[in-house]
Short mmCIF file of all heavy atoms in Angstrom, two decimals:
data_model
loop_
_atom_site.label_atom_id
_atom_site.label_comp_id
_atom_site.label_asym_id
_atom_site.label_seq_id
_atom_site.Cartn_x
_atom_site.Cartn_y
_atom_site.Cartn_z
N MET A 265 86.46 78.19 111.16
CA MET A 265 87.76 78.81 111.44
C MET A 265 88.82 78.26 110.49
O MET A 265 88.87 77.08 110.21
CB MET A 265 88.15 78.50 112.88
CG MET A 265 89.48 79.09 113.29
SD MET A 265 90.05 78.37 114.84
CE MET A 265 91.26 77.22 114.22
N LYS A 266 89.68 79.13 110.01
CA LYS A 266 90.79 78.68 109.19
C LYS A 266 91.90 78.17 110.09
O LYS A 266 92.11 78.70 111.17
CB LYS A 266 91.31 79.82 108.32
CG LYS A 266 90.37 80.08 107.16
CD LYS A 266 90.87 81.18 106.27
CE LYS A 266 89.87 81.42 105.16
NZ LYS A 266 89.70 82.84 104.86
N ILE A 267 92.57 77.12 109.63
CA ILE A 267 93.71 76.62 110.41
C ILE A 267 94.78 77.71 110.40
O ILE A 267 95.31 78.07 109.35
CB ILE A 267 94.26 75.30 109.84
CG1 ILE A 267 93.15 74.25 109.77
CG2 ILE A 267 95.44 74.81 110.68
CD1 ILE A 267 92.54 73.85 111.10
N ASN A 268 95.02 78.20 111.56
CA ASN A 268 95.86 79.38 111.72
C ASN A 268 97.30 78.97 112.00
O ASN A 268 97.55 77.99 112.68
CB ASN A 268 95.30 80.17 112.90
CG ASN A 268 95.82 81.57 112.95
OD1 ASN A 268 97.02 81.77 113.03
ND2 ASN A 268 94.92 82.52 112.89
N ILE A 269 98.24 79.75 111.52
CA ILE A 269 99.65 79.46 111.76
C ILE A 269 99.98 79.55 113.25
O ILE A 269 100.88 78.87 113.73
CB ILE A 269 100.56 80.39 110.91
CG1 ILE A 269 102.02 79.92 110.96
CG2 ILE A 269 100.47 81.84 111.35
CD1 ILE A 269 102.70 79.85 109.63
N LEU A 270 99.22 80.34 113.98
CA LEU A 270 99.43 80.45 115.42
C LEU A 270 99.17 79.14 116.15
O LEU A 270 99.59 78.95 117.28
CB LEU A 270 98.52 81.54 116.01
CG LEU A 270 98.90 82.97 115.68
CD1 LEU A 270 97.81 83.92 116.17
CD2 LEU A 270 100.23 83.34 116.28
N LEU A 271 98.47 78.24 115.47
CA LEU A 271 98.20 76.92 116.04
C LEU A 271 99.45 76.25 116.57
O LEU A 271 99.41 75.54 117.56
CB LEU A 271 97.60 76.00 114.97
CG LEU A 271 96.09 75.92 114.85
CD1 LEU A 271 95.74 74.89 113.79
CD2 LEU A 271 95.45 75.54 116.17
N LYS A 272 100.56 76.48 115.89
CA LYS A 272 101.78 75.76 116.27
C LYS A 272 102.27 76.16 117.66
O LYS A 272 103.13 75.50 118.21
CB LYS A 272 102.86 75.92 115.21
CG LYS A 272 103.44 77.30 115.09
CD LYS A 272 104.55 77.29 114.05
CE LYS A 272 105.15 78.68 113.91
NZ LYS A 272 106.21 78.71 112.90
N TYR A 273 101.76 77.25 118.19
CA TYR A 273 102.16 77.66 119.53
C TYR A 273 101.26 77.06 120.62
O TYR A 273 101.50 77.27 121.80
CB TYR A 273 102.18 79.19 119.65
CG TYR A 273 103.14 79.82 118.68
CD1 TYR A 273 102.69 80.59 117.62
CD2 TYR A 273 104.51 79.62 118.84
CE1 TYR A 273 103.58 81.15 116.71
CE2 TYR A 273 105.40 80.18 117.93
CZ TYR A 273 104.93 80.93 116.87
OH TYR A 273 105.81 81.48 115.98
N LEU A 274 100.24 76.35 120.19
CA LEU A 274 99.34 75.73 121.17
C LEU A 274 99.92 74.41 121.65
O LEU A 274 100.70 73.77 120.94
CB LEU A 274 97.98 75.46 120.53
CG LEU A 274 97.08 76.64 120.22
CD1 LEU A 274 95.84 76.15 119.49
CD2 LEU A 274 96.70 77.40 121.47
N PRO A 275 99.51 73.97 122.86
CA PRO A 275 99.89 72.63 123.30
C PRO A 275 99.38 71.59 122.29
O PRO A 275 98.34 71.79 121.66
CB PRO A 275 99.16 72.47 124.63
CG PRO A 275 98.83 73.85 125.07
CD PRO A 275 98.68 74.68 123.82
N LYS A 276 100.12 70.49 122.17
CA LYS A 276 99.81 69.47 121.17
C LYS A 276 98.37 68.96 121.27
O LYS A 276 97.70 68.77 120.25
CB LYS A 276 100.79 68.30 121.34
CG LYS A 276 100.83 67.39 120.14
CD LYS A 276 102.07 66.50 120.16
CE LYS A 276 102.00 65.46 119.07
NZ LYS A 276 101.63 64.13 119.55
N ILE A 277 97.90 68.75 122.47
CA ILE A 277 96.54 68.23 122.65
C ILE A 277 95.51 69.18 122.05
O ILE A 277 94.53 68.75 121.45
CB ILE A 277 96.23 67.92 124.14
CG1 ILE A 277 94.82 67.39 124.34
CG2 ILE A 277 96.44 69.13 125.05
CD1 ILE A 277 94.59 65.98 123.81
N LEU A 278 95.78 70.48 122.19
CA LEU A 278 94.84 71.46 121.65
C LEU A 278 94.89 71.51 120.13
O LEU A 278 93.88 71.70 119.46
CB LEU A 278 95.10 72.85 122.25
CG LEU A 278 94.70 73.03 123.71
CD1 LEU A 278 94.97 74.46 124.17
CD2 LEU A 278 93.24 72.68 123.94
N ILE A 279 96.08 71.33 119.58
CA ILE A 279 96.21 71.29 118.12
C ILE A 279 95.43 70.10 117.58
O ILE A 279 94.66 70.22 116.64
CB ILE A 279 97.70 71.19 117.71
CG1 ILE A 279 98.45 72.45 118.13
CG2 ILE A 279 97.82 70.98 116.19
CD1 ILE A 279 99.95 72.37 117.91
N GLU A 280 95.61 68.95 118.25
CA GLU A 280 94.88 67.76 117.82
C GLU A 280 93.37 67.99 117.92
O GLU A 280 92.61 67.58 117.05
CB GLU A 280 95.28 66.56 118.69
CG GLU A 280 96.62 65.99 118.30
CD GLU A 280 97.10 64.91 119.26
OE1 GLU A 280 96.31 64.48 120.12
OE2 GLU A 280 98.27 64.53 119.16
N TYR A 281 92.98 68.65 118.99
CA TYR A 281 91.56 68.91 119.18
C TYR A 281 91.02 69.84 118.09
O TYR A 281 89.96 69.58 117.51
CB TYR A 281 91.29 69.51 120.56
CG TYR A 281 89.85 69.91 120.71
CD1 TYR A 281 88.85 68.94 120.81
CD2 TYR A 281 89.46 71.25 120.70
CE1 TYR A 281 87.52 69.29 120.89
CE2 TYR A 281 88.13 71.60 120.78
CZ TYR A 281 87.16 70.62 120.88
OH TYR A 281 85.85 70.97 120.94
N VAL A 282 91.74 70.90 117.79
CA VAL A 282 91.29 71.85 116.78
C VAL A 282 91.17 71.16 115.42
O VAL A 282 90.17 71.34 114.70
CB VAL A 282 92.25 73.07 116.67
CG1 VAL A 282 91.95 73.90 115.43
CG2 VAL A 282 92.14 73.93 117.92
N LEU A 283 92.17 70.35 115.09
CA LEU A 283 92.13 69.66 113.80
C LEU A 283 90.94 68.70 113.74
O LEU A 283 90.25 68.62 112.73
CB LEU A 283 93.45 68.91 113.56
CG LEU A 283 94.67 69.80 113.38
CD1 LEU A 283 95.93 68.95 113.21
CD2 LEU A 283 94.51 70.73 112.17
N PHE A 284 90.72 68.00 114.84
CA PHE A 284 89.59 67.07 114.88
C PHE A 284 88.27 67.83 114.78
O PHE A 284 87.36 67.45 114.03
CB PHE A 284 89.64 66.24 116.17
CG PHE A 284 88.58 65.16 116.22
CD1 PHE A 284 88.66 64.05 115.39
CD2 PHE A 284 87.51 65.26 117.09
CE1 PHE A 284 87.69 63.06 115.43
CE2 PHE A 284 86.53 64.28 117.14
CZ PHE A 284 86.62 63.17 116.31
N HIS A 285 88.19 68.91 115.52
CA HIS A 285 87.00 69.76 115.51
C HIS A 285 86.68 70.21 114.07
O HIS A 285 85.54 70.10 113.62
CB HIS A 285 87.26 70.97 116.42
CG HIS A 285 86.10 71.90 116.58
ND1 HIS A 285 85.47 72.10 117.79
CD2 HIS A 285 85.46 72.70 115.69
CE1 HIS A 285 84.49 72.97 117.62
NE2 HIS A 285 84.46 73.36 116.37
N GLU A 286 87.70 70.67 113.38
CA GLU A 286 87.49 71.14 112.01
C GLU A 286 87.11 69.98 111.08
O GLU A 286 86.32 70.15 110.17
CB GLU A 286 88.74 71.85 111.49
CG GLU A 286 89.03 73.17 112.22
CD GLU A 286 87.84 74.13 112.15
OE1 GLU A 286 87.23 74.26 111.07
OE2 GLU A 286 87.51 74.75 113.18
N MET A 287 87.68 68.81 111.34
CA MET A 287 87.34 67.63 110.55
C MET A 287 85.88 67.24 110.75
O MET A 287 85.18 66.89 109.78
CB MET A 287 88.23 66.45 110.96
CG MET A 287 89.30 66.12 109.95
SD MET A 287 90.48 64.94 110.63
CE MET A 287 89.42 63.62 111.18
N VAL A 288 85.42 67.32 111.99
CA VAL A 288 84.03 66.97 112.27
C VAL A 288 83.09 67.95 111.55
O VAL A 288 82.01 67.57 111.12
CB VAL A 288 83.76 66.95 113.79
CG1 VAL A 288 82.27 66.72 114.09
CG2 VAL A 288 84.58 65.85 114.46
N HIS A 289 83.56 69.17 111.36
CA HIS A 289 82.74 70.14 110.63
C HIS A 289 82.53 69.73 109.18
O HIS A 289 81.59 70.21 108.53
CB HIS A 289 83.37 71.53 110.69
CG HIS A 289 82.92 72.32 111.88
ND1 HIS A 289 81.60 72.43 112.25
CD2 HIS A 289 83.61 73.04 112.80
CE1 HIS A 289 81.51 73.18 113.34
NE2 HIS A 289 82.72 73.55 113.70
N LEU A 290 83.40 68.88 108.66
CA LEU A 290 83.19 68.38 107.30
C LEU A 290 81.99 67.45 107.25
O LEU A 290 81.34 67.30 106.22
CB LEU A 290 84.44 67.65 106.79
CG LEU A 290 85.74 68.47 106.74
CD1 LEU A 290 86.89 67.58 106.29
CD2 LEU A 290 85.60 69.67 105.80
N ILE A 291 81.71 66.82 108.38
CA ILE A 291 80.58 65.90 108.49
C ILE A 291 79.34 66.66 108.93
O ILE A 291 78.25 66.50 108.38
CB ILE A 291 80.87 64.78 109.53
CG1 ILE A 291 82.15 64.01 109.16
CG2 ILE A 291 79.68 63.83 109.65
CD1 ILE A 291 82.74 63.23 110.32
N GLU A 292 79.53 67.49 109.94
CA GLU A 292 78.42 68.22 110.55
C GLU A 292 78.82 69.69 110.66
O GLU A 292 79.71 70.03 111.42
CB GLU A 292 78.13 67.61 111.94
CG GLU A 292 76.96 68.22 112.64
CD GLU A 292 75.68 68.15 111.82
OE1 GLU A 292 75.20 67.04 111.57
OE2 GLU A 292 75.18 69.23 111.42
N ARG A 293 78.17 70.52 109.86
CA ARG A 293 78.57 71.92 109.78
C ARG A 293 78.27 72.71 111.06
O ARG A 293 79.01 73.60 111.43
CB ARG A 293 77.85 72.60 108.60
CG ARG A 293 78.80 73.35 107.69
CD ARG A 293 78.07 73.90 106.50
NE ARG A 293 77.43 75.17 106.79
CZ ARG A 293 78.09 76.33 106.95
NH1 ARG A 293 79.38 76.36 106.83
NH2 ARG A 293 77.44 77.44 107.20
N LYS A 294 77.17 72.36 111.69
CA LYS A 294 76.75 73.15 112.85
C LYS A 294 77.19 72.54 114.17
O LYS A 294 77.46 71.35 114.25
CB LYS A 294 75.22 73.29 112.84
CG LYS A 294 74.71 74.08 111.67
CD LYS A 294 73.20 74.12 111.70
CE LYS A 294 72.66 74.94 110.53
NZ LYS A 294 71.20 74.86 110.45
N HIS A 295 77.21 73.38 115.19
CA HIS A 295 77.51 72.91 116.55
C HIS A 295 76.22 72.40 117.19
O HIS A 295 75.69 73.02 118.09
CB HIS A 295 78.08 74.05 117.40
CG HIS A 295 79.45 74.48 116.97
ND1 HIS A 295 79.84 75.78 116.93
CD2 HIS A 295 80.52 73.76 116.57
CE1 HIS A 295 81.10 75.85 116.51
NE2 HIS A 295 81.53 74.64 116.28
N ASN A 296 75.73 71.31 116.69
CA ASN A 296 74.50 70.76 117.26
C ASN A 296 74.84 69.52 118.10
O ASN A 296 76.01 69.18 118.29
CB ASN A 296 73.51 70.43 116.14
CG ASN A 296 74.12 69.52 115.09
OD1 ASN A 296 75.11 68.84 115.36
ND2 ASN A 296 73.55 69.50 113.91
N GLU A 297 73.80 68.85 118.56
CA GLU A 297 74.00 67.68 119.43
C GLU A 297 74.84 66.61 118.75
O GLU A 297 75.74 66.03 119.35
CB GLU A 297 72.62 67.07 119.78
CG GLU A 297 72.24 67.24 121.22
CD GLU A 297 70.90 66.59 121.49
OE1 GLU A 297 70.83 65.35 121.44
OE2 GLU A 297 69.93 67.34 121.72
N GLN A 298 74.52 66.35 117.49
CA GLN A 298 75.25 65.35 116.71
C GLN A 298 76.74 65.70 116.63
O GLN A 298 77.60 64.84 116.80
CB GLN A 298 74.62 65.28 115.31
CG GLN A 298 75.48 64.65 114.23
CD GLN A 298 75.44 63.13 114.27
OE1 GLN A 298 74.87 62.53 115.17
NE2 GLN A 298 76.03 62.51 113.27
N PHE A 299 77.02 66.99 116.42
CA PHE A 299 78.40 67.46 116.33
C PHE A 299 79.17 67.13 117.60
O PHE A 299 80.23 66.51 117.57
CB PHE A 299 78.41 68.97 116.07
CG PHE A 299 79.80 69.56 116.00
CD1 PHE A 299 80.50 69.59 114.81
CD2 PHE A 299 80.39 70.08 117.14
CE1 PHE A 299 81.79 70.12 114.76
CE2 PHE A 299 81.67 70.61 117.10
CZ PHE A 299 82.37 70.64 115.90
N TRP A 300 78.60 67.53 118.74
CA TRP A 300 79.31 67.31 120.01
C TRP A 300 79.36 65.83 120.38
O TRP A 300 80.27 65.41 121.10
CB TRP A 300 78.65 68.13 121.14
CG TRP A 300 78.80 69.61 120.89
CD1 TRP A 300 77.80 70.51 120.69
CD2 TRP A 300 80.02 70.36 120.81
NE1 TRP A 300 78.33 71.77 120.47
CE2 TRP A 300 79.68 71.71 120.54
CE3 TRP A 300 81.38 70.02 120.92
CZ2 TRP A 300 80.64 72.71 120.39
CZ3 TRP A 300 82.33 71.02 120.77
CH2 TRP A 300 81.97 72.34 120.52
N ARG A 301 78.41 65.05 119.87
CA ARG A 301 78.45 63.61 120.13
C ARG A 301 79.68 63.00 119.44
O ARG A 301 80.40 62.18 120.03
CB ARG A 301 77.16 62.94 119.62
CG ARG A 301 76.89 61.61 120.31
CD ARG A 301 75.59 60.99 119.84
NE ARG A 301 74.46 61.89 120.02
CZ ARG A 301 73.54 62.16 119.09
NH1 ARG A 301 73.63 61.59 117.89
NH2 ARG A 301 72.55 62.98 119.33
N ILE A 302 79.91 63.41 118.20
CA ILE A 302 81.09 62.90 117.48
C ILE A 302 82.37 63.37 118.18
O ILE A 302 83.30 62.59 118.38
CB ILE A 302 81.08 63.37 116.00
CG1 ILE A 302 79.83 62.85 115.29
CG2 ILE A 302 82.34 62.93 115.29
CD1 ILE A 302 79.56 63.50 113.94
N ILE A 303 82.39 64.65 118.55
CA ILE A 303 83.57 65.20 119.24
C ILE A 303 83.86 64.40 120.51
O ILE A 303 85.00 64.02 120.77
CB ILE A 303 83.33 66.69 119.62
CG1 ILE A 303 83.32 67.57 118.37
CG2 ILE A 303 84.37 67.17 120.62
CD1 ILE A 303 84.67 67.96 117.82
N SER A 304 82.82 64.12 121.28
CA SER A 304 83.02 63.49 122.58
C SER A 304 83.47 62.03 122.46
O SER A 304 83.96 61.45 123.43
CB SER A 304 81.76 63.58 123.44
OG SER A 304 80.73 62.83 122.85
N ARG A 305 83.30 61.45 121.27
CA ARG A 305 83.79 60.08 121.06
C ARG A 305 85.31 60.05 121.13
O ARG A 305 85.90 59.07 121.57
CB ARG A 305 83.35 59.58 119.68
CG ARG A 305 82.12 58.70 119.76
CD ARG A 305 81.81 58.15 118.39
NE ARG A 305 80.44 58.47 118.01
CZ ARG A 305 80.02 58.63 116.76
NH1 ARG A 305 80.86 58.51 115.76
NH2 ARG A 305 78.77 58.90 116.51
N LYS A 306 85.96 61.09 120.66
CA LYS A 306 87.41 61.13 120.68
C LYS A 306 87.92 61.98 121.85
O LYS A 306 88.93 61.65 122.46
CB LYS A 306 87.94 61.69 119.35
CG LYS A 306 89.43 61.53 119.17
CD LYS A 306 89.84 61.87 117.74
CE LYS A 306 91.29 62.28 117.65
NZ LYS A 306 92.19 61.10 117.69
N PHE A 307 87.24 63.07 122.13
CA PHE A 307 87.66 63.97 123.21
C PHE A 307 86.54 64.10 124.24
O PHE A 307 85.70 65.00 124.14
CB PHE A 307 88.02 65.35 122.65
CG PHE A 307 89.22 65.34 121.75
CD1 PHE A 307 89.07 65.21 120.38
CD2 PHE A 307 90.51 65.46 122.27
CE1 PHE A 307 90.18 65.19 119.53
CE2 PHE A 307 91.62 65.44 121.44
CZ PHE A 307 91.45 65.31 120.07
N GLU A 308 86.58 63.19 125.20
CA GLU A 308 85.54 63.19 126.24
C GLU A 308 85.46 64.52 126.98
O GLU A 308 84.39 64.95 127.39
CB GLU A 308 85.83 62.07 127.25
CG GLU A 308 85.04 60.80 126.98
CD GLU A 308 85.32 59.76 128.04
OE1 GLU A 308 84.81 59.90 129.16
OE2 GLU A 308 86.10 58.82 127.74
N ASP A 309 86.64 65.12 127.18
CA ASP A 309 86.69 66.36 127.97
C ASP A 309 86.76 67.59 127.06
O ASP A 309 87.47 68.55 127.34
CB ASP A 309 87.86 66.34 128.94
CG ASP A 309 89.19 66.08 128.23
OD1 ASP A 309 89.15 65.66 127.05
OD2 ASP A 309 90.25 66.29 128.83
N TYR A 310 86.00 67.52 125.96
CA TYR A 310 86.07 68.62 124.99
C TYR A 310 85.71 69.98 125.58
O TYR A 310 86.20 71.01 125.13
CB TYR A 310 85.21 68.33 123.76
CG TYR A 310 83.72 68.35 124.02
CD1 TYR A 310 83.00 69.54 123.96
CD2 TYR A 310 83.03 67.17 124.33
CE1 TYR A 310 81.64 69.55 124.21
CE2 TYR A 310 81.68 67.18 124.58
CZ TYR A 310 80.99 68.37 124.51
OH TYR A 310 79.64 68.38 124.77
N GLU A 311 84.86 69.97 126.61
CA GLU A 311 84.47 71.26 127.20
C GLU A 311 85.67 71.96 127.83
O GLU A 311 85.83 73.18 127.71
CB GLU A 311 83.36 71.07 128.22
CG GLU A 311 82.01 70.91 127.54
CD GLU A 311 80.89 70.55 128.50
OE1 GLU A 311 81.18 69.90 129.53
OE2 GLU A 311 79.75 70.89 128.21
N ALA A 312 86.50 71.16 128.49
CA ALA A 312 87.73 71.71 129.09
C ALA A 312 88.68 72.19 127.99
O ALA A 312 89.33 73.23 128.14
CB ALA A 312 88.40 70.65 129.95
N LEU A 313 88.73 71.44 126.89
CA LEU A 313 89.62 71.82 125.79
C LEU A 313 89.14 73.11 125.14
O LEU A 313 89.95 73.98 124.80
CB LEU A 313 89.68 70.69 124.75
CG LEU A 313 90.35 69.40 125.23
CD1 LEU A 313 90.13 68.28 124.23
CD2 LEU A 313 91.83 69.61 125.48
N GLU A 314 87.83 73.23 124.97
CA GLU A 314 87.28 74.47 124.42
C GLU A 314 87.65 75.65 125.31
O GLU A 314 87.97 76.74 124.84
CB GLU A 314 85.75 74.38 124.29
CG GLU A 314 85.27 73.43 123.20
CD GLU A 314 85.31 74.07 121.80
OE1 GLU A 314 85.54 75.28 121.70
OE2 GLU A 314 85.12 73.33 120.83
N LYS A 315 87.59 75.41 126.61
CA LYS A 315 87.92 76.46 127.57
C LYS A 315 89.41 76.84 127.45
O LYS A 315 89.76 78.00 127.47
CB LYS A 315 87.59 75.98 128.99
CG LYS A 315 86.87 77.03 129.82
CD LYS A 315 86.40 76.47 131.15
CE LYS A 315 84.99 75.89 131.06
NZ LYS A 315 84.59 75.19 132.31
N ASP A 316 90.24 75.80 127.32
CA ASP A 316 91.67 76.03 127.13
C ASP A 316 91.94 76.86 125.90
O ASP A 316 92.75 77.79 125.91
CB ASP A 316 92.41 74.69 126.99
CG ASP A 316 92.88 74.16 128.32
OD1 ASP A 316 92.51 74.76 129.35
OD2 ASP A 316 93.62 73.16 128.32
N LEU A 317 91.25 76.52 124.82
CA LEU A 317 91.42 77.26 123.57
C LEU A 317 91.03 78.71 123.76
O LEU A 317 91.70 79.62 123.28
CB LEU A 317 90.56 76.64 122.46
CG LEU A 317 91.11 75.39 121.81
CD1 LEU A 317 90.07 74.79 120.89
CD2 LEU A 317 92.38 75.70 121.05
N PHE A 318 89.95 78.90 124.47
CA PHE A 318 89.49 80.25 124.76
C PHE A 318 90.58 81.02 125.50
O PHE A 318 90.88 82.17 125.17
CB PHE A 318 88.21 80.19 125.60
CG PHE A 318 87.67 81.55 125.97
CD1 PHE A 318 86.86 82.25 125.08
CD2 PHE A 318 87.96 82.11 127.19
CE1 PHE A 318 86.37 83.50 125.41
CE2 PHE A 318 87.47 83.36 127.54
CZ PHE A 318 86.67 84.06 126.64
N ASN A 319 91.21 80.35 126.47
CA ASN A 319 92.28 80.98 127.23
C ASN A 319 93.49 81.30 126.36
O ASN A 319 94.27 82.18 126.68
CB ASN A 319 92.71 80.08 128.40
CG ASN A 319 91.62 79.96 129.45
OD1 ASN A 319 90.76 80.84 129.56
ND2 ASN A 319 91.64 78.87 130.20
N HIS A 320 93.62 80.57 125.25
CA HIS A 320 94.71 80.84 124.32
C HIS A 320 94.28 81.83 123.24
O HIS A 320 95.00 82.05 122.27
CB HIS A 320 95.20 79.55 123.66
CG HIS A 320 96.07 78.72 124.54
ND1 HIS A 320 95.58 77.80 125.43
CD2 HIS A 320 97.42 78.67 124.69
CE1 HIS A 320 96.59 77.23 126.07
NE2 HIS A 320 97.71 77.74 125.65
N GLY A 321 93.08 82.34 123.37
CA GLY A 321 92.62 83.33 122.40
C GLY A 321 91.94 82.72 121.19
O GLY A 321 91.69 83.41 120.21
N PHE A 322 91.65 81.43 121.25
CA PHE A 322 90.95 80.78 120.15
C PHE A 322 89.49 80.61 120.51
O PHE A 322 89.15 80.18 121.60
CB PHE A 322 91.55 79.41 119.84
CG PHE A 322 92.79 79.50 119.01
CD1 PHE A 322 94.00 79.81 119.60
CD2 PHE A 322 92.74 79.28 117.65
CE1 PHE A 322 95.14 79.90 118.85
CE2 PHE A 322 93.89 79.36 116.88
CZ PHE A 322 95.09 79.67 117.47
N LEU A 323 88.64 80.93 119.56
CA LEU A 323 87.20 80.82 119.79
C LEU A 323 86.59 79.99 118.69
O LEU A 323 85.91 80.53 117.82
CB LEU A 323 86.56 82.20 119.82
CG LEU A 323 86.56 82.95 121.13
CD1 LEU A 323 86.08 84.38 120.90
CD2 LEU A 323 85.66 82.28 122.15
N ILE A 324 86.83 78.68 118.70
CA ILE A 324 86.31 77.92 117.57
C ILE A 324 84.82 77.68 117.68
O ILE A 324 84.15 77.50 116.70
CB ILE A 324 87.10 76.62 117.30
CG1 ILE A 324 87.10 75.71 118.49
CG2 ILE A 324 88.52 76.93 116.88
CD1 ILE A 324 87.92 74.46 118.24
N GLN A 325 84.29 77.72 118.92
CA GLN A 325 82.83 77.54 119.07
C GLN A 325 82.08 78.66 118.38
O GLN A 325 80.97 78.48 117.93
CB GLN A 325 82.45 77.52 120.54
CG GLN A 325 82.75 76.19 121.20
CD GLN A 325 81.77 75.91 122.34
OE1 GLN A 325 80.58 76.12 122.21
NE2 GLN A 325 82.29 75.43 123.44
N LYS A 326 82.71 79.84 118.35
CA LYS A 326 82.07 81.02 117.81
C LYS A 326 81.76 80.89 116.32
O LYS A 326 80.87 81.56 115.82
CB LYS A 326 83.01 82.22 118.02
CG LYS A 326 82.30 83.53 118.30
CD LYS A 326 83.32 84.61 118.55
CE LYS A 326 83.17 85.73 117.56
NZ LYS A 326 84.29 86.66 117.60
N SER A 327 82.50 80.05 115.63
CA SER A 327 82.33 79.97 114.18
C SER A 327 81.08 79.19 113.78
O SER A 327 80.85 78.93 112.62
CB SER A 327 83.57 79.32 113.54
OG SER A 327 83.74 78.01 114.02
N GLY A 328 80.29 78.83 114.76
CA GLY A 328 79.08 78.05 114.46
C GLY A 328 77.92 78.91 113.99
O GLY A 328 78.12 80.06 113.61
N PRO A 329 76.72 78.36 114.00
CA PRO A 329 75.54 79.06 113.53
C PRO A 329 75.18 80.27 114.41
O PRO A 329 75.48 80.25 115.59
CB PRO A 329 74.44 78.01 113.60
CG PRO A 329 74.91 77.02 114.60
CD PRO A 329 76.41 77.03 114.53
ZN1 LIG B 275 83.35 74.54 115.30
#
């Protein structure tokens, strides 16, 4: 996913999460176990955050394999 200008309308925690998510993709391209392990080190409740993003119309999980 490209960092979208609409990001600025998201709650700060979600912006931080999206940026981190995209950063982790630089290390691990796919949404595999390793990917979510790195994510969960910083965002334990990433599943809830993904859900929040979905509710805001963001589907970053979709950009995976
Ligand atoms: Zn992703």
